[in-house]
Amino acid sequence: MNSALTPLQLAQAGLLAPNGLDVQDLSRTLDAVMAHAVDAADLYLQNSRHESWSLEGGIVRSSSFSRDQGFGLRALDQDQSAFAFSQQISHARLLEAAASVRAIARQGGEGRAAIAAHPSLGHPARYDTQDPLASRDAQAKIALLERIDRQARALDSRVSEVNASLNCAHETILVMRQDGRLVADVRPMLRLSVFVIVTRGNQRESASSGIGGRFTFDAVTEETLDATLRQVVDEALIKLDAQPSPSGEMAVVIGPGWPGMLLHEAVGHGFEGDFTRQGSSIYSGRIGQQVAAAGVTIVDNGTLPGHCGSLTVDDEGEASQETVLIENGILRGFMQDGMNARLSGVAPTGNGRRQSYAHLPMPRMTNTYMRAGISDPQEIIASVKSGLYLANLGSGQVDIVSGRFTFQSALAYRIENGRLGAPVKGATLTGHGPEVMQRISMVGNDLALDPGFATCGKAGQNVPVCVGQPTLKVDRLLVGGTA
Amino acid sequence: MNNLFPHDQAGLDAITAALLDAARRHGATDAVASVSENKGQTAHLRQGRIRALSREVSCGLSLAVYIGQRQGHTHSTDFTPDSLEEMARAACAIAQHTQEDPFAGLPDTDALCKTPLDLDLYHPWEPDSETLVTLARQIEEGIADWPEAASDGAWASAGQSQVRLANSRGFSAGYAQSYHGFTASVLAARDDIRCREFWHEGGRRQGELPAAKQIGAQAAGRAISLLDQRPIASGEFPVLFDARSAISLLQHLCQAISGRPLYMKTSFLGERFGQPIFPEHIDVIEDPFIPGALASQPFDTEGISASRRVLVESGVLRGALLGQYSARRLGLPVTGNAGGNTNVQIASRLTRPDDDLAAMLRKLGTGLMVTNLSGEGARLINGDYSRAARGFWVERGEIRHAVDGVTIAGNLLEMWQSIAAIGADTFVSGAFSTGSILLSRMHVASR
């Protein structure tokens, strides 16, 4: 692929020309929608190619390739939307969709002038447009998975099964708005995931991890791969000796990186502009208030190069940015898409995202993390007399209305007299997000982002995200276990 | 009957036949093609405003090819002849690279469904958008009757789909189905306590749906009952899962007896076949052929008909859920479960017709009734279970107050074995059907 072409040129070549369309046809579609009494409209075209290879039982036994394309057309009347999508990008389907979304229009049309497209260019690119599918041939992809299998088994004789999979995606989007703004983006994604099972006698444990981002194979170094495999195998082996988790309220030290999913769940969703505008978030209307302990600063930053949540532009064509959500404990701002920003009287923040052309955009997180503090992580552990160290996190959930969250430990240890003690399993941590944010008493200097396997689900739509944090100490958190 | 889809079944058959033919020309020794078409619409309201009126027309086409024991898969949404050719070419190219898998391949022809049953799955409903908006408004009217509740969303939807499956050994069959439903999401608030609850009901016929207003009222009533929250002490107590939350206990069972976890040895039930995993009074039945039921199907995604059978008989684990690949790999007979379980029901022989929720609360005595669970804290590899729960504290058979933010923990095997009773208050959600389930004790952790 010729990377000298701009995303807009690539989008025109990939989405319009093969379907016999040009930018005029997009304008005409929006004209047809705007001839009715609606406030705003946008047309989103997308194509994607996806390839996956998976290894289990020592062989790469299956692979799949898929292609998808389509458009979604939305008409907005204040907070009300009508939406139609099609998997065929054609004149006829665009006009059908335009007729269908008029359902939302108030009585009477306003007969506006025709919409002229004006391309919006020059957004700083947060990733290359290179296609990860094409960046290696099939043999190289298979060899990579085989190497993972061999190497994981070689690390310990108790490794009894390895699953490794490789997912590559390449998508192009083109979005045009009723004011003529036309924006394109070309997005790569590569994700490598590893799952191991270890067996000792009739006891089995497992662990998983991965590497991912908006990049091609060149970004996956041997060192990263080795470290990932070592960590996954170690985690599974440690679990073989894990004891039942203690129960009750206790001090919890949360390790850096992936456990930042806690913030994503307990804080992040409550900062999304749809929930805050509707008043369903506990953080609604609290800008300027102290909502976390001093020393806690949390940002959403779509501009990090090549991370899973990074975006050059969001799915409404807004440039991504860094948005400070909480600064030294004070609530500073929310994440917005175009509609919620407009209705809330604030600027959009580049958080308008959608799973695909078949879904409506919503305010969504990108890369959301807590900034580093000043404490040495060892000091943080040493400060706890009796508690839990959460080294790795399982999955989590939050009820943004009550603020309650739940998540499972993947790997945890007891802390006794300031030292890590026995590993424990089966711990469930539950808490009230806003309360926990006030109980953070130490923030480490070791900020890390997750290695690239996070996906966030909201209202049935999944989008890739990134989470992160430094080591943290929460003075009291409820741990549910069986001991 | 009027055909609502872009193609009729004969048209879909022509597409799958062309795709199989292209696969053969590109070197496939065997192939299976499936195609689906979906059509639906949803009205989503929130507090009287239309959040979204959406119309969906979508389709998908999948091809799996085998070249000897190697396989490749492709998916597309484009039915044009060029696209079919490209799919076949790409799948065969992939299959050249994958490694030989002795268990790969089509099902034996004998195992394939001969005469697909008509299971009464298709009752299309294509209302105009005003009708759906009106129904969503009625859902919100059901919420408005409750002073402390507000709508956080009401959805009315209508949908239909059809599939066709064909393979290179002569199988070709298809069927259509419909699903229409109402959903309410409710916010309730009193002083500092806020909570959200939802309710959903759906069915294959529009006519069998409950009144829309009732869905809103049900969600609102449940949300408000959760406002009277008080803390409880940690400890070991009997726990009653209400029928809706008890569905999860059946889901964990079905996951743990599915092919992949069994052959990957990641299921704690792998060595438990033929052994008791529930008390003797419990049976679990799978039935793919219940007319009109939500998980009924004439054949699975490989063309095999399952049959009504016991998964758990008098507490003893008897059946696994296997597609062709896992069956071959495990050396067991295929059960027609490629694509998962069909309708599954758990029942106790001790259940009496008058064992309604009130009777189950009396059996619980003093302990916790769980109505909502969150977190994915059931680990299939060893059965360890730890999830966050919401519900009610019950004393001497009477609800005292709501409880939130507690965790319940145990091991699934011990939990199942401690089932003391199943209520007659049967609830069906998708594929699963159960009454409320009483466990004799669990660890409950509270603040």
Side-chain angles (χ1 to χ4, degrees), chain A residues 294-315:
Chain A
V296 171
T297 295
I298 297 174
V299 300
D300 180 79
N301 185 355
T303 71
L304 300 178
H307 281 276
C308 284
S310 300
L311 291 172
T312 295
V313 291
D314 72 5
D315 291 320

Side-chain angles (χ1 to χ4, degrees), chain B residues 135-266:
Chain B
L135 287 164
R137 287 197 200 289
Q138 290 168 3
I139 296 172
E140 293 207 317
E141 283 163 20
I143 300 167
D145 289 346
W146 300 74
E148 292 168 304
S151 169
D152 196 36
W155 291 258
S157 68
Q160 20 275 328
S161 64
Q162 62 169 353
V163 295
R164 185 91 191 173
L165 178 73
N167 72 23
S168 55
R169 308 239 179 120
F171 178 86
S172 179
Y175 61 95
Q177 53 184 327
S178 52
Y179 184 82
H180 319 297
F182 301 140
T183 307
S185 176
V186 169
L187 291 171
R190 184 185 299 155
D191 306 324
D192 290 348
I193 308 281
R194 293 154 56 84
C195 65
R196 174 157 47 191
E197 178 62 294
F198 78 97
W199 196 259
H200 169 82
E201 295 209 24
R204 302 217 178 256
R205 287 171 203 265
Q206 179 229 340
E208 73 194 15
L209 295 176
K213 193 173 172 181
Q214 206 180 307
I215 304 299
Q218 177 77 4
R222 285 178 74 108
I224 285 165
S225 68
L226 288 161
L227 290 174
D228 174 28
Q229 286 176 17
R230 273 171 259 167
I232 57 169
S234 299
E236 284 205 8
F237 309 111
V239 172
L240 177 69
F241 285 66
D242 80 342
R244 189 176 70 168
S245 61
I247 295 277
S248 65
L249 296 175
L250 261 186
Q251 288 168 327
H252 300 320
L253 171 69
C254 287
Q255 285 157 6
I257 60 173
S258 294
R260 193 161 192 278
L262 292 176
Y263 75 69
M264 292 299 301
K265 298 191 163 54
T266 52

